Amino acid sequence: MSATSDQAGLADQERRPPHTIPVIINNKTVQLPEREMTGLEIKQAAAAQGLPIDTGFQLSVRHGGRFNIVGDTDPIRIHPNLEFLAVAPDDNS
């Protein structure tokens, strides 16, 4: 590959918006940057985008008609419109 084609490839990457994947957390859309993230990384990304959650919340992911708990170190494969719940540890609902 020539230096010219390398520069053209970099220019194309700079023009394209960063790829993100829209998911739902607590009924709000959040854009996640990776195809696989841990529970902690998902909570951090949501908080950084203004969701009123923090890393102490319990995260769950919808599988069919139920939600399964996601630990902070559990890897989750991210796909569009994946649905999560993040609940404060003192919420007994």
Side-chain angles (χ1 to χ4, degrees), residues 29-83:
T29 300
V30 173
Q31 301 293 328
L32 297 180
E34 304 290 335
R35 292 200 175 277
E36 186 169 290
M37 298 177 73
T38 65
L40 179 61
E41 290 169 333
I42 294 166
K43 291 186 283 186
Q44 290 170 332
Q49 292 177 49
L51 253 64
I53 70 169
D54 67 41
T55 57
F57 279 39
Q58 182 177 62
L59 187 68
S60 300
V61 63
R62 180 186 291 273
H63 285 289
R66 53 184 270 194
F67 282 88
N68 296 330
I69 293 173
V70 177
D72 283 350
T73 59
D74 292 345
I76 298 292
R77 181 159 300 280
I78 306 300
H79 58 81
N81 302 313
L82 192 59
E83 188 175 346

Side-chain angles (χ1 to χ4, degrees), residues 26 52-59 85-93:
N26 293 356
I53 70 169
D54 67 41
T55 57
F57 279 39
Q58 182 177 62
L59 187 68
L85 276 180
V87 180
D90 60 353
D91 186 349
N92 294 323
S93 57

Side-chain angles (χ1 to χ4, degrees), residues 19-20 56 64 71 77 88:
H19 178 73
T20 59
R77 181 159 300 280

